[in-house]
């Protein structure tokens, strides 16, 4: 096993032509990701405030559901992550810190 991977022990499921629990959860997670992406596009373009607020509530519920599905899959060992290299994180942080002097308002808030 790759020592840079972060993963729980994998819960075994039957390997049959029928969908198993892992397949269903993976399908649900993919659907939730697609839905949050679509809702996000809608929210960027909504001009009606009451409709925007209704969709924002739906977006938040969907995002929370997506997170719960991810947590469940991670807990069951069906979703693994690669641990970040601390040196790469520091380099990226410093790179983006250097970009802040290019911002037009340099930390000043618009009034």
């Amino acid at each position: 096993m790759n020592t840079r991977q972060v993963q729980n022990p994998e819960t075994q499921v039957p390997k049959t032509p029928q969908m198993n629990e892992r397949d269903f959860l993976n399908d649900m997670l993919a659907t939730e990701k697609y839905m949050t992406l679509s809702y996000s596009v809608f929210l960027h373009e909504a001009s009606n405030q009451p409709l925007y607020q209704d969709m924002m509530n739906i977006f938040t519920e969907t995002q929370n559901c997506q997170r719960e599905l991810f947590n469940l899959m991670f807990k069951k060992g069906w979703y693994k992550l690669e641990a970040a290299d601390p040196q790469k994180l520091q380099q990226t942080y410093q790179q983006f810190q250097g970009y802040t002097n290019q911002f037009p308002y340099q930390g000043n808030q618009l009034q």
Side-chain angles (χ1 to χ4, degrees):
M1 182 174 148
N2 184 349
T3 59
R4 306 242 351 117
Q5 286 187 348
V6 179
Q7 180 180 15
N8 287 313
E10 187 171 343
T11 302
Q12 296 301 310
V13 291
K15 296 189 186 320
T16 65
Q18 291 80 26
M19 288 182 69
N20 56 41
E21 182 183 10
R22 179 181 177 174
D23 296 331
F24 282 112
L25 288 175
N26 195 45
D27 185 57
M28 290 168 58
L29 181 60
T31 300
E32 294 295 327
K33 286 179 178 182
Y34 173 77
M35 290 171 61
T36 55
L37 180 63
S38 298
Y39 290 150
S40 180
V41 171
F42 175 89
L43 291 168
H44 289 297
E45 299 176 1
S47 61
N48 180 284
Q49 186 59 35
L51 182 57
Y52 171 87
Q53 195 56 55
D54 287 344
M55 289 304 293
M56 178 57 95
N57 292 337
I58 293 169
F59 171 83
T60 302
E61 289 175 17
T62 305
Q63 184 68 41
N64 290 340
C65 185
Q66 175 187 333
R67 184 67 184 172
E68 289 174 19
L69 286 166
F70 164 79
N71 286 338
L72 179 59
M73 290 190 71
F74 185 74
K75 179 181 173 183
K76 290 182 173 274
W78 298 334
Y79 209 106
K80 55 188 160 196
L81 307 171
E82 186 170 326
D85 177 6
Q87 186 176 3
K88 273 188 164 180
L89 283 175
Q90 185 61 32
Q91 288 172 346
T92 303
Y93 174 78
Q94 289 173 348
Q95 175 186 354
F96 284 98
Q97 277 297 108
Y99 293 160
T100 59
N101 64 1
Q102 298 175 24
F103 294 158
Y105 300 106
Q106 300 276 329
N108 297 334
Q109 293 184 357
L110 294 175
Q111 300 296 329

